[in-house]
Amino acid sequence: MDVHISLGGRGDLAAQVYRQLLDAILDGRLRSGERLPPTRQLARSLEISRNTVALAYDRLVADGFLVGRAGAGTFVSAEPVRGRAAPATCSSRAARSRRSTSSAGS
């Protein structure tokens, strides 16, 4: 993996790691099938908790951007991700839900 992750400021470190990895996937710096470093290794290099990195990886797996292979590691999903929109945030999901609920009652 040849992606630089820089953590700064206050806030959720797992979200920062998630966002920077997601950006690297979406703009092609991380390609389909490319192996990510183990969570322990990345956590050590970033000087953060392994759980923080694992949380970011888990979220990327849940969103379909990464795939874990038992005994082999974590890889960028083989499915094409170019053009795929970034996952909606909770607030935008809630807003969409409110809009669809209010328009259904019209």
Side-chain angles (χ1 to χ4, degrees):
M1 178 181 105
D2 192 27
V3 173
H4 178 74
I5 295 177
S6 122
L7 302 175
R10 302 181 91 130
D12 184 353
L13 294 176
Q16 290 180 45
V17 173
Y18 169 88
R19 187 75 232 176
Q20 290 183 47
L21 288 173
L22 178 62
D23 289 345
I25 292 167
L26 293 175
D27 70 18
R29 287 178 286 140
L30 284 174
R31 293 187 174 97
S32 254
E34 191 167 350
R35 185 173 189 256
L36 275 69
T39 55
R40 281 186 180 91
Q41 180 184 338
L42 184 56
R44 197 174 315 117
S45 71
L46 295 173
E47 299 179 350
I48 60 176
S49 164
R50 175 181 172 257
N51 289 338
T52 300
V53 175
L55 189 60
Y57 277 26
D58 288 348
R59 188 170 163 206
L60 287 161
V61 167
D63 289 344
F65 292 98
L66 298 181
V67 61
R69 297 185 196 142
T74 305
F75 299 81
V76 176
S77 178
E79 296 177 23
V81 291
R82 282 200 186 277
R84 183 190 288 179
T89 62
C90 293
S91 60
S92 63
R93 282 187 195 138
R96 253 184 285 143
S97 176
R98 282 193 300 271
R99 276 185 292 211
S100 64
T101 305
S102 64
S103 60
S106 301

